[in-house]
Amino acid sequence: MRQIRYIFLISLLVAFIAMPCVAQRDYDAHGNRRECRHHRPQYYVGNNDVYFDGRKIEGASKSSFSILRDGYAKDTWTVYYCGVKIDGASANSFKVLGYGYAKDTWNVYYDGIKISGASTDSFKVLRDGYAKDTWNVYFDGEKIDGASPDSFKCGRDGYARDNWNTYYWGKKIR
C-alpha cells in the first residue's frame, strides 16, 4: 500500500512539473508544432550584437536593428525571421501583415518563406491564417487549389467559403 502511494505521489509530481511545458507549446490546426509564430519575438539588442533566442545573429546591425511582429525583424539592409536572414527581402519596403504574412515591393512571405507567385499589389490577409490576392487564396502560406478569390469569405473558427466550396483550416470539406 505504501508503494502505491509513493508511486502515485511521484507520478503526480512529474505531471505537475511537466504541465507548464505542455501548456507553452503552440500547435497549428493540423497538429504541427509552430516554432516561432505569433509569440513575442525573442530578439535582444546587446551592447555590440543582436541575438535571437540566445543565438548571436551574424552580420546584424545593432544601431539600425528594429524588432517587428510575428518573429520578423530588420536592420538597414537585411530582414530576419526568427533570427534567420530572409534572402532577397527588401528591408526598405518590408511590412508585416499579420498571421505570419509579410511583404516587400517584390515578394510575399509566410513565416519567412517566399510564397511563389503571390501578387504583392493585391495581397490581403484575411484572418485565421487565410489570405488572398487577385488570382489565389492561401492558408498558412499554401495555395488552396480551386478556391475562388473573388467570392472567398472567412467565417469563424477556421471556416471559410467561396461560391462553390466550404473550407475548414484551409482544407476543402467534401
Side-chain angles (χ1 to χ4, degrees):
M1 182 68 144
R2 194 171 204 177
Q3 282 182 328
I4 293 172
R5 206 179 307 167
Y6 179 72
I7 291 170
F8 176 75
L9 288 175
I10 294 280
S11 60
L12 189 61
L13 180 64
V14 168
F16 181 73
I17 290 170
M19 193 171 18
C21 297
V22 172
Q24 291 174 358
R25 291 186 180 151
D26 185 21
Y27 294 90
D28 66 14
H30 308 291
N32 301 317
R33 179 141 190 241
R34 295 178 178 174
E35 292 302 320
C36 178
R37 295 208 27 217
H38 312 293
H39 293 286
R40 185 171 171 226
Q42 298 176 353
Y43 288 98
Y44 174 74
V45 180
N47 290 335
N48 298 313
D49 297 310
V50 180
Y51 301 88
F52 179 83
D53 201 21
R55 297 180 326 262
K56 180 180 175 184
I57 302 174
E58 295 297 330
S61 170
K62 172 199 169 283
S63 62
S64 65
F65 197 83
S66 61
I67 300 167
L68 305 173
R69 299 180 298 154
D70 290 352
Y72 291 101
K74 68 179 183 174
D75 61 21
T76 304
W77 304 107
T78 308
V79 179
Y80 303 91
Y81 178 74
C82 292
V84 177
K85 179 182 176 182
I86 302 174
D87 289 326
S90 170
N92 286 340
S93 62
F94 194 83
K95 294 177 188 163
V96 177
L97 305 173
Y99 291 102
Y101 291 100
K103 72 177 185 175
D104 62 17
T105 303
W106 298 280
N107 297 301
V108 178
Y109 304 90
Y110 178 77
D111 284 355
I113 298 170
K114 179 182 167 186
I115 301 174
S116 182
S119 169
T120 58
D121 293 333
S122 64
F123 195 86
K124 289 185 223 172
V125 173
L126 303 173
R127 70 177 196 211
D128 292 337
Y130 290 103
K132 69 179 183 175
D133 63 16
T134 303
W135 297 280
N136 297 301
V137 178
Y138 305 90
F139 178 76
D140 280 355
E142 298 289 325
K143 180 181 167 187
I144 302 174
D145 289 327
S148 171
D150 293 332
S151 63
F152 195 86
K153 304 261 191 268
C154 285
R156 295 182 343 190
D157 302 323
Y159 284 97
R161 65 177 174 84
D162 62 16
N163 284 343
W164 297 275
N165 297 296
T166 301
Y167 304 88
Y168 182 67
W169 296 117
K171 302 288 183 198
K172 187 186 326 183
I173 298 173
R174 303 226 179 256

